[in-house]
Amino acid sequence: MSSSDYATPEGLREWRLELGYTQKQAADALGFKHRSSISQLENGHQQITPKVAKLAAMIWNYEHATPKWRAK
């Protein structure tokens, strides 16, 4: 997946749900302090920066390349 896949509110929400993350877990993974930051991004109230989209893509690739037996 490329970072452009996560540059829209819908793409970011899909990313989070497919990884099984809560908004709080997504906020932690993307470096935000509050869950509400993810809510604002997913609802289009805040712009998704290229940095956030790239980080989301890196997390997606890591999660899908890592064996499922690893401890979470």
Side-chain angles (χ1 to χ4, degrees):
M1 304 294 278
S2 73
S3 60
S4 63
D5 296 325
Y6 310 114
T8 65
E10 298 81 16
L12 191 65
R13 181 177 294 116
E14 184 179 322
W15 165 84
R16 178 177 65 81
L17 294 175
E18 286 190 16
L19 288 175
Y21 286 179
T22 64
Q23 286 185 337
K24 175 65 175 140
Q25 290 169 320
D28 290 344
L30 295 172
F32 292 102
K33 290 184 179 183
H34 305 286
R35 175 208 60 82
S36 61
S37 297
I38 298 301
S39 177
Q40 290 176 353
L41 291 169
E42 289 182 352
N43 289 313
H45 298 295
Q46 185 177 335
Q47 184 177 3
I48 300 169
T49 65
K51 181 179 177 181
V52 169
K54 185 173 183 175
L55 183 56
M58 291 171 64
I59 292 168
W60 174 269
N61 290 332
Y62 173 79
E63 289 291 339
H64 285 84
T66 305
K68 298 299 178 197
W69 47 262
R70 73 174 172 82
K72 284 196 173 201

